[in-house]
Amino acid sequence: MYSVSKSVVSLSIGILADEGRLSLEDHIVDYFPEWVSEDTPGMLREVTLRHMLTMSTCYDRAQYSPLGDADWTKPFFYGKPTHPAGTLFHYDTSASQVLCALVERLTGEDILSFMQRRLFGPIGMNGPKRWLKDRAGTSQGGTGLLLTLRDFARLACFCMSDGQGIISQAYLRAATGWQIATDERAAPEEKYGYGYQFWRMRKGFYMYGLAGQMALCLPEEQLVLCTTADMMLSSTGVQPIFDAFFRHLSGIGDLPSDAQDAAALRQYISGLQLAPLPGRQTQGRVHIPLQESQLAMTALTLQADGLVFHIDGRDDLLPCVPGQWREGVFPGTTQRCISSGGWVSDNRYVMHCELCDDFVCPMALSLTINGGRAALRVNSGLWECVQGWSSLGWGHVTVES
């Protein structure tokens, strides 16, 4: 669910606030005294839980590195402030991480156990779920929740309710309502304001996880669209989802139901598939030692059954053929994946790979050969689970029949 996790962290803060176990006006440094000293900047000392919830901290970006830091909470307290808290909206995933750590500190249990007992179970979210942790053992508050789509829809419907006695209506309305301006954001649908870890849109509010894990909520119509998607490498981002929602679904309550149309829709949906890439299969072996590259591999070999990535003295085969998806394990990880690709012309090879486990992480690779040289371009969303998979490289080509 990626950043949908942030909205759930907000709901957990609401439960604790309703019980009087914290106040949104509390200063975050007071809950983590072990990381506060006389050198702690004044602007950081001024940050309240409300600032954390509204992404109006004293920072202009997240303070931790997903792959570089074992503890994702601690770096927040050692950052260099860029502006006074409460003045500007800056999307800061480390704020959500710290709020999650606060929930676990106050409750004495991990956030998934707490929310299963206090919210997920009571509203019928009974499907399998997990919450990933950082290497220090704290749940990943900004990105770690995994849910089924049906449970995601149950959660979205709850957020449009009166709180059902689980969370106060006052907190729920504030969380999903407008709290701070976001008009400087580049994406069109991100300009309508922000609540407490919930986004506002042209009508209603939404939960938003990277690449299209979304719940678009119109309380006045009691309408929800939940999606899981992979729009990570799309130049348009997730805007087509918003546009289709408001063009085709908003106001759908005014349309008559039709059994014939419903059957046709079910048949159409059952035939949808992720199309494999076309092309021609590799004949023989094409070996390319990379002379100049910031990529993870030092060389790449194309052969009939896939691509061999040469990484740190190890050879990892990624199965890949045109016209079908092949299952494998992504090089340098334990993540299952599917890949497809082939030669789309005499001198150009393209492939696409999708991870299939915890992460929505695509990779697009293109190779162009000109004479005895090859240029390699890799674009990926693998930054959260493995480094070195988005860059350029070139090398000399050896072709073996």
Side-chain angles (χ1 to χ4, degrees):
M1 292 287 112
Y2 288 101
S3 289
V4 171
S5 310
K6 296 177 171 69
S7 302
V8 177
V9 168
S10 172
L11 297 176
S12 69
I13 291 289
I15 292 173
L16 296 179
D18 289 341
E19 294 177 348
R21 299 170 70 178
L22 56 77
S23 165
L24 301 194
E25 308 313 319
D26 292 343
H27 294 95
I28 192 62
V29 294
D30 293 339
Y31 288 100
F32 297 88
E34 70 272 29
W35 293 325
V36 179
S37 70
E38 59 182 15
D39 297 324
T40 300
M43 284 196 291
L44 176 56
R45 292 178 183 272
E46 295 169 0
V47 175
T48 66
L49 271 60
R50 191 182 303 276
H51 296 143
M52 307 280 281
L53 287 166
T54 57
M55 296 290 188
S56 59
T57 70
C58 60
Y59 298 125
D60 63 356
R61 67 198 65 192
Q63 297 303 298
Y64 69 89
S65 166
L67 291 174
D69 293 310
D71 188 330
W72 292 7
T73 307
K74 181 178 179 180
F76 185 88
F77 298 94
Y78 293 92
K80 183 179 180 180
T82 56
H83 59 278
T87 57
L88 296 170
F89 176 91
H90 277 288
Y91 198 70
D92 180 359
T93 297
S94 58
S96 308
Q97 174 66 28
V98 174
L99 288 174
C100 181
L102 173 59
V103 171
E104 298 193 337
R105 180 165 292 200
L106 291 179
T107 62
E109 55 186 323
D110 64 70
I111 190 170
L112 179 57
S113 298
F114 176 70
M115 292 302 278
Q116 181 64 37
R117 182 167 53 84
R118 298 298 301 273
L119 175 62
F120 296 163
I123 66 172
M125 293 173 58
N126 298 320
K129 56 184 72 69
R130 292 192 293 126
W131 203 310
L132 306 179
K133 299 178 184 290
D134 67 16
R135 297 197 300 280
T138 303
S139 300
Q140 298 176 10
T143 187
L145 178 63
L146 289 89
L147 289 177
T148 65
L149 185 59
R150 188 170 296 279
D151 275 354
F152 187 24
R154 289 190 175 100
L155 179 65
C157 290
F158 169 81
C159 291
M160 298 197 306
S161 74
D162 62 0
Q164 301 178 27
I166 299 171
I167 301 177
S168 68
Q169 186 174 24
Y171 183 87
L172 206 50
R173 291 293 173 268
T176 59
W178 189 99
Q179 296 292 337
I180 190 169
T182 60
D183 53 303
E184 295 180 352
R185 299 287 290 183
E189 216 69 34
E190 294 179 12
K191 296 178 179 290
Y192 292 96
Y194 197 74
Y196 296 158
Q197 313 275 284
F198 287 81
W199 290 89
R200 299 290 302 174
M201 54 186 178
R202 65 190 85 168
K203 291 194 297 180
F205 64 89
Y206 62 105
M207 292 181 272
Y208 177 23
L210 181 72
Q213 327 321 309
M214 301 170 70
L216 311 186
C217 303
L218 292 183
E220 65 273 21
E221 298 184 33
Q222 285 297 289
L223 176 64
V224 171
L225 171 67
C226 290
T227 67
T228 56
D230 178 8
M231 308 285 283
M232 195 174 294
L233 300 184
S234 170
S235 61
T236 61
V238 298
Q239 192 60 40
I241 297 177
F242 288 107
D243 295 341
F245 176 70
F246 285 109
R247 183 182 304 117
H248 300 295
L249 296 182
S250 180
I252 199 171
D254 300 331
L255 299 176
S257 61
D258 186 296
Q260 235 179 343
D261 286 348
L265 178 60
R266 283 193 296 271
Q267 184 176 2
Y268 171 75
I269 291 174
S270 67
L272 291 176
Q273 61 176 313
L274 179 63
L277 271 62
R280 175 177 54 81
Q281 195 164 356
T282 301
Q283 304 298 313
R285 296 174 79 251
V286 179
H287 183 64
I288 306 162
L290 297 174
Q291 266 78 25
E292 296 289 340
S293 173
Q294 295 179 330
L295 291 164
M297 75 288 282
T298 56
L300 179 70
T301 301
L302 283 68
Q303 53 194 45
D305 57 348
L307 288 74
V308 178
F309 295 88
H310 306 273
I311 306 172
D312 297 329
R314 188 184 70 251
D315 296 345
D316 288 340
L317 172 67
L318 186 63
C320 184
V321 296
Q324 57 183 286
W325 293 104
R326 287 286 177 88
E327 294 184 5
V329 176
F330 193 84
T333 77
T334 58
Q335 298 285 322
R336 294 181 307 117
C337 64
I338 57 171
S339 302
S340 180
W343 294 92
V344 293
S345 67
D346 289 341
N347 69 336
R348 189 157 186 270
Y349 180 95
V350 298
M351 66 90 68
H352 187 88
C353 176
E354 292 278 346
L355 297 195
C356 302
D357 288 328
D358 292 340
F359 300 98
V360 176
C361 291
M363 181 184 75
L365 179 150
S366 65
L367 173 72
T368 303
I369 296 177
N370 185 7
R373 289 184 174 183
L376 179 67
R377 183 194 302 273
V378 178
N379 188 16
S380 85
L382 295 161
W383 49 268
E384 192 167 2
C385 54
V386 60
Q387 290 177 325
W389 289 97
S390 281
S391 191
L392 297 171
W394 69 269
H396 293 278
V397 181
T398 301
V399 179
E400 302 174 10
S401 60

